[in-house]
């Protein structure tokens, strides 16, 4: 499941209690214990965005049910607009791995292993297909002649980079799952699922690595091209709007390229233009021309686009907890956790909040409508023994003489 | 000698004292809200930008922002929660008018969100004034502030959970959460009243004042209930009584018992049951 696609079950008009959401599956379809675990743990854990609780509770269910029952559970979850069991487990496990909390993960049960191998493989294949589909990865790189078109290309590259990173984590997870599956007894693996053990996650990972290397080279190539265009615009008499954009991107590209080429002088580029000895000198010269553009445009461009970038993160970003509204506790101590957010894969186009016929973008039109629901304080009642008194009655010793009938 | 002890009764009375405590407020928690760190950084950059740009440059920037769909801010959301007539809401506006574009709206939204997070999770005094607008985005800010106040008020008074929550024990987390919700609603009403003071008609001013007073007393009731619960200690006495069975025993001279055993064994004596 992609976090950006999460269905928000908060109903905005009344903001009801989360406890009201339960699975709609008929009670006689699922065993009572499973139904209770779903209602009391799995759904609340999902709604509260608590991946550890979700994995712990859902793993227990998966461990004790047959694949047929998993199908029924998926139907029950679907009726409550929740993703399937394998999606929930995968998402929650990955979320904890991304947060660096893999040590809290319970060891997956054989059922869970078999349940997740195929979705993991599919998710990786989808990422590889996406890599082949975008313009930035085509051979040769298409010629781009406007700042707007460059922006689109960089966005695609950014999205792909994130997908490849996640896919590599999935590949690592998949390898571990296959290793575990191979230690199972043959009777633990249904015949129709034995082929899962042949899934070659190492091969998938090597394809991901190759795609990643190509992407990085393409990104550099794009920057060199965009810097050349930006320098040209800054020196011309284009409208102030265009010069402002050019100053920002030219300054940014120049800085990044200079850093890279200075640190990696002998990098074995595939691309001939990047390998050419005069490339760094050209970059430095063009950067200089951009920075000397009149009106302090570089500084203004930085303030504008960095400001907008942060705004986008505030508006559309999702954290790993609290239905995307919250960052993890680590955000209080770890700058990486404070910064990290899930961002939409495509540039979002907001929808009219009054139009309830479509999926709402952003999911939360005003954060302040919902933040009060994050209540971390608790009232606890403590009971202490303040006194103890003990009294005893009875137990008196009553002596009696028994006469023996014999004489000694 | 043969003896017996009568059954004994032990009565243990334990007194338990119950007291409630509330976990302390942790203002750092505001940093866990997605948007707090982000909108803060956005405003730091954009406020500085506005302060150094000419009006011609600001117009160009406004165009850059306005041309991008992702920066569209829909307004007038308060109407979604409205259930009755009110002097505080303008006549229905066409859909196009609700979709606002431009830098001022972007900045105004960031301010209202950031200030609301501060009011909800910190003790920052007057946060809406603290992150208040520049002249460039003042009008947009006032609109979003006003809209926020209406949304929260109407959502609260139409919430079917509100009444049950006022009757719940403070041990239910909902009581604390709704108290927090009232803090933000009252904060927005107060900031709106202050910002719009000169613009409101007497009727509008009366209406919004009545709203605020209503929420003030609701919150006072919740707070009083929580405080009372925290101050209240309860004593409970539990008495347990246990009965110990009586005991029979024989005490005799060891020498005599030894002789008895020997005589019995030798057949020179016998026990006569009576």
């Amino acid at each position: 499941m992609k976090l950006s696609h999460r269905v928000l079950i908060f109903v905005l008009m009344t903001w009801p209690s989360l406890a009201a959401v339960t699975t709609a599956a008929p009670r006689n379809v699922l065993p009572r214990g499973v139904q209770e675990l779903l209602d009391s743990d799995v759904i609340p854990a999902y709604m509260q965005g608590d991946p550890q609780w979700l994995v712990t509770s859902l793993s227990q269910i998966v461990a004790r049910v047959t694949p047929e029952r998993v199908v029924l559970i998926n139907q029950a979850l679907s009726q409550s607009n929740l993703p399937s069991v394998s999606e929930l487990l995968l998402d929650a496990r990955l979320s904890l791995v991304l947060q660096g909390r893999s040590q809290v993960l319970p060891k997956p049960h054989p059922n869970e292993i078999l349940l997740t191998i195929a979705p993991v493989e599919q998710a990786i294949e989808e990422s590889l297909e996406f890599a082949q589909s975008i313009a930035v990865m085509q051979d040769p790189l298409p010629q781009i002649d406007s700042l707007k078109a460059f922006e689109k290309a960089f966005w695609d590259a950014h999205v792909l980079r994130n997908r490849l990173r996640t896919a590599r984590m999935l590949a690592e997870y998949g390898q571990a799952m296959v290793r575990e599956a191979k230690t199972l007894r043959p009777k633990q693996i249904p015949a129709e699922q034995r082929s899962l053990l042949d899934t070659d996650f190492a091969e998938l990972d090597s394809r991901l690595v190759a795609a990643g290397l190509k992407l990085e080279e393409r990104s550099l190539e794009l920057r060199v091209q965009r810097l050349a265009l930006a320098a040209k615009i800054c020196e011309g008499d284009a409208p102030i709007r265009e010069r402002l954009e050019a100053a920002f991107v030219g300054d940014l590209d120049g800085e990044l390229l200079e850093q890279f080429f200075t640190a990696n002088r002998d990098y074995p580029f595939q691309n001939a233009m990047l390998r050419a000895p005069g490339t760094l000198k050209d970059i430095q010269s063009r950067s200089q021309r951009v920075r000397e553009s009149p009106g302090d445009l570089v500084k203004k461009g930085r303030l504008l686009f960095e400001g907008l970038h942060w705004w986008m993160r505030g508006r559309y970003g999702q954290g790993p907890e609290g239905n995307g509204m919250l960052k993890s506790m680590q955000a209080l101590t770890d700058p990486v956790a404070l910064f990290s957010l899930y961002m939409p894969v495509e540039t979002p186009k907001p929808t009219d909040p009054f139009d309830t016929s479509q999926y709402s973008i952003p999911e939360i039109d005003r954060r302040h409508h919902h933040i009060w629901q994050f209540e971390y304080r608790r009232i606890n009642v403590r009971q202490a023994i303040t006194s103890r008194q003990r009294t005893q009655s009875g137990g008196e010793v009553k002596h009696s003489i028994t006469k023996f009938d014999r004489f000694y | 000698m043969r003896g017996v002890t009568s059954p004994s009764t032990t009565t243990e009375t334990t007194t338990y004292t119950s007291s409630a405590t509330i976990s302390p407020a942790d203002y750092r928690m505001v940093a866990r809200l997605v948007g707090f760190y982000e909108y803060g950084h956005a405003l730091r950059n954009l406020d500085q930008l506005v302060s150094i740009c000419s009006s011609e440059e600001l117009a160009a920037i406004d165009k850059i922002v306005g041309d991008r769909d992702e920066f569209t801010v829909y307004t007038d959301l308060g109407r979604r929660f409205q259930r009755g007539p009110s002097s505080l809401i303008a006549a229905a506006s066409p859909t196009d008018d609700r979709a606002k574009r431009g830098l001022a709206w972007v900045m105004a939204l960031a301010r209202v969100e950031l200030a609301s997070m501060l009011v909800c999770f910190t003790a920052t005094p007057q946060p809406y004034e603290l992150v208040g607008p520049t002249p460039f985005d003042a009008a947009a800010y006032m609109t979003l502030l006003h809209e926020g106040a209406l949304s929260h008020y109407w959502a609260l008074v139409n919430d079917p959970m509100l009444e049950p929550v006022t009757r719940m024990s403070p041990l239910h987390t909902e009581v604390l959460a709704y108290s927090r919700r009232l803090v933000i609603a009252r904060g927005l009403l107060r900031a709106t009243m202050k910002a719009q003071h000169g613009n409101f008609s007497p009727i509008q001013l009366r209406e919004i004042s009545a709203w605020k007073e209503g929420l003030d007393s609701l919150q006072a009731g919740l707070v009083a209930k929580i405080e009372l619960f925290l101050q209240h200690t309860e004593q409970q006495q539990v008495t347990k009584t246990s009965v110990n069975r009586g005991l029979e025993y024989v005490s005799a001279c060891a020498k005599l018992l030894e002789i008895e055993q020997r005589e019995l064994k030798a057949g020179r004596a016998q026990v006569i049951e009576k």
Side-chain angles (χ1 to χ4, degrees):
Chain A
M1 182 195 62
K2 295 172 184 68
L3 286 170
S4 56
H5 293 170
R6 273 184 176 168
V7 178
L8 205 72
I9 304 185
F10 290 120
V11 179
L12 301 182
M13 294 299 286
T14 55
W15 302 335
S17 160
L18 293 177
V21 182
T22 54
T23 53
R27 298 245 162 206
N28 57 355
V29 172
L30 295 174
R32 183 189 283 185
V34 171
Q35 183 71 51
E36 280 173 3
L37 265 175
L38 282 177
D39 289 343
S40 65
D41 290 277
V42 174
I43 294 174
Y46 175 77
M47 297 303 297
Q48 290 175 28
D50 186 333
Q52 188 180 347
W53 186 14
L54 187 60
V55 169
T56 312
S57 53
L58 201 50
S59 297
Q60 282 179 46
I61 294 179
V62 170
R64 64 161 99 150
V65 297
T66 59
E68 293 75 29
R69 281 266 159 77
V70 172
V71 174
L72 289 176
I73 295 172
N74 283 341
Q75 286 169 2
L77 291 171
S78 166
Q79 282 170 12
S80 300
N81 290 324
L82 262 68
S84 67
V85 171
S86 59
E87 285 174 314
L88 282 175
L89 277 170
L90 251 185
D91 177 44
R93 281 188 181 272
L94 270 186
S95 175
L96 288 168
V97 171
L98 283 168
Q99 291 172 36
R101 294 165 63 201
S102 49
Q103 74 281 359
V104 302
L105 284 169
K107 193 178 174 192
H109 185 270
N111 289 355
E112 187 185 334
I113 293 172
L114 298 172
L115 198 66
T116 49
I117 288 178
V120 169
E121 185 191 12
Q122 191 189 341
I124 296 170
E125 289 287 6
E126 281 172 9
S127 295
L128 287 166
E129 281 168 26
F130 178 70
Q132 287 179 336
S133 70
I134 61 173
V136 183
M137 299 291 274
Q138 303 305 311
D139 295 310
L141 179 66
Q143 196 62 37
I144 299 175
D145 54 8
S146 75
L147 292 178
K148 202 169 175 62
F150 270 112
E151 194 183 319
K152 167 81 172 69
F154 275 107
W155 177 255
D156 285 345
H158 168 71
V159 172
L160 177 59
R161 190 172 291 114
N162 286 340
R163 286 191 67 164
L164 291 175
R165 191 169 51 212
T166 308
R168 287 209 64 199
M169 293 175 78
L170 283 170
E172 192 182 330
Y173 180 71
Q175 286 183 64
M177 290 300 99
V178 169
R179 266 198 307 273
E180 284 286 332
K182 284 179 177 169
T183 64
L184 300 177
R185 290 191 301 277
K187 69 173 184 183
Q188 288 180 286
I189 309 174
E192 65 275 12
Q193 289 187 296
R194 297 224 170 103
S195 63
L196 290 173
L197 271 59
D198 299 329
T199 314
D200 191 348
F201 283 107
E203 191 271 337
L204 286 171
D205 190 48
S206 63
R207 284 167 61 197
L208 290 169
V209 171
L213 287 171
K214 182 174 178 180
L215 175 66
E216 294 316 316
E217 189 161 319
R218 282 297 162 85
S219 300
L220 290 169
E221 205 178 331
L222 274 177
R223 286 197 190 283
V224 172
Q225 283 187 20
R226 188 168 72 168
L227 174 60
L229 178 65
K232 203 169 144 188
I233 293 171
C234 284
E235 288 169 342
D237 55 358
I240 190 163
R241 170 190 172 158
E242 207 175 331
R243 282 190 284 130
L244 197 64
E245 286 176 316
F248 172 69
V249 296
D251 173 52
L252 177 72
D253 290 339
E255 191 177 325
L256 292 174
L257 287 168
E258 280 178 60
Q259 276 174 11
F260 183 87
F261 278 90
T262 307
N264 303 279
R265 284 182 186 276
D266 301 317
Y267 190 86
F269 290 112
Q270 302 291 312
N271 181 286
M273 181 269 284
L274 294 176
R275 275 200 313 268
T279 302
L280 177 58
K281 214 167 185 179
D282 285 348
I283 289 165
Q284 286 167 331
S285 150
R286 284 172 184 152
S287 300
Q288 192 59 28
R289 280 156 55 198
V290 167
R291 284 169 197 149
E292 284 169 359
S293 52
D296 217 0
L297 290 182
V298 168
K299 181 179 180 184
K300 289 169 185 166
R302 273 190 186 187
L303 288 171
L304 172 63
F305 290 104
E306 282 175 17
L308 292 178
H309 176 74
W310 280 111
W311 189 89
M312 285 281 285
R313 292 175 60 77
R315 183 79 166 136
Y316 299 104
Q318 291 197 343
E321 293 179 18
N323 259 314
M325 302 258 312
L326 295 177
K327 298 175 182 178
S328 65
M329 274 299 284
Q330 284 158 306
L332 302 184
T333 49
D334 179 2
V336 176
L338 182 64
F339 180 81
S340 302
L341 287 177
Y342 297 100
M343 291 303 292
V345 175
E346 291 173 9
T347 306
K349 187 174 179 181
T351 53
D352 184 349
F354 285 80
D355 181 2
T356 51
S357 66
Q358 53 184 334
Y359 186 76
S360 177
I361 301 174
E363 286 176 355
I364 304 288
D365 42 38
R366 298 286 186 274
R367 290 188 186 277
H368 68 72
H369 285 177
H370 306 277
I371 51 176
W372 59 270
Q373 294 178 79
F374 165 46
E375 185 51 71
Y376 64 90
R377 300 181 78 183
R378 294 282 179 277
I379 292 179
N380 300 306
V381 174
R382 285 190 191 159
Q383 206 170 44
I385 294 172
T386 43
S387 73
R388 181 174 274 163
Q389 281 184 328
R390 189 174 288 178
T391 54
Q392 196 165 9
S393 63
E396 296 90 0
V397 178
K398 292 177 183 171
H399 295 284
S400 65
I401 307 284
T402 305
K403 284 184 181 170
F404 288 98
D405 288 335
R406 294 185 316 128
F407 174 77
Y408 291 98
Chain B
M1 186 173 72
R2 179 165 288 167
V4 66
T5 60
S6 66
S8 68
T9 306
T10 306
T11 305
E12 188 178 89
T13 304
T14 310
T15 307
Y16 294 93
T17 304
S18 308
S19 60
T21 52
I22 186 166
S23 49
D26 185 351
Y27 300 141
R28 296 173 312 151
M29 287 294 174
V30 73
R32 286 191 63 195
L33 300 174
V34 174
F36 179 73
Y37 181 64
E38 290 73 21
Y39 284 132
H41 274 280
L43 285 173
R44 203 172 62 186
N45 281 278
L46 298 175
D47 277 344
Q48 197 189 340
L49 173 73
V50 168
S51 73
I52 61 170
C53 280
S54 66
S55 55
E56 186 197 0
E57 287 167 335
L58 278 178
I61 289 168
D62 215 33
K63 189 92 176 69
I64 292 173
V65 179
D67 280 353
R68 296 181 181 217
D69 289 334
E70 62 268 33
F71 296 114
T72 306
V73 175
Y74 278 89
T75 59
D76 207 16
L77 303 191
R79 198 188 298 280
R80 285 193 309 178
F81 309 102
Q82 189 184 3
R83 293 288 183 275
S86 168
S87 65
L88 291 162
I89 199 148
S93 52
T95 310
D96 289 352
D97 287 350
R98 290 205 297 268
K100 305 295 186 191
R101 288 169 179 265
L103 183 63
W105 291 99
V106 161
M107 293 173 72
L109 180 73
R111 279 187 218 287
V112 174
E113 294 281 46
L114 185 64
S116 298
M117 290 172 187
L118 285 171
V119 81
C120 206
F121 286 93
T122 70
T124 308
Q126 305 200 328
Y128 291 99
E129 288 77 12
L130 186 74
V131 294
T134 63
F136 175 74
D137 63 316
Y141 177 73
M142 298 262 267
T143 305
L144 295 184
L145 199 63
H146 185 109
E147 169 213 280
L150 302 193
S151 300
H152 273 276
Y153 178 77
W154 278 321
L156 245 172
V157 296
N158 293 316
D159 182 353
M161 277 293 289
L162 181 63
E163 204 271 328
V165 165
T166 58
R167 284 186 282 111
M168 279 178 189
S169 156
L171 283 173
H172 292 270
T173 314
E174 287 93 329
V175 177
L176 290 175
Y178 271 71
S179 182
R180 203 181 279 284
R181 183 180 185 181
L182 281 160
V183 169
I184 194 171
R186 289 169 54 238
L188 276 159
L189 283 172
R190 185 193 55 73
T192 305
M193 286 167 70
K194 194 170 175 185
Q196 299 270 28
H197 193 72
N199 303 327
F200 276 153
S201 69
I203 295 173
Q204 288 175 315
L205 203 56
R206 255 201 313 276
E207 188 176 5
I208 199 166
S209 301
W211 287 7
K212 174 135 188 327
E213 280 166 23
L215 296 192
D216 284 351
S217 71
L218 194 59
Q219 173 126 52
L222 276 184
V223 169
K225 185 176 178 167
I226 294 167
E227 282 180 350
L228 201 66
F229 189 82
L230 291 173
Q231 285 163 9
H232 180 72
T233 54
E234 199 167 87
Q235 285 202 335
Q236 191 186 11
Q237 284 194 336
V238 177
T239 304
K240 276 186 195 164
T241 305
S242 55
V243 178
N244 305 313
R245 291 179 58 196
L247 188 70
E248 282 190 52
Y249 65 94
V250 172
S251 70
C253 165
K255 190 74 181 168
L256 283 177
L257 285 173
E258 197 182 303
I259 294 166
E260 181 185 343
Q261 292 296 321
R262 201 170 56 225
E263 293 292 299
L264 284 168
K265 207 172 178 181
R268 290 191 294 271
Q270 68 179 97
V271 176
I272 301 166
E273 298 290 343
K274 290 187 81 175

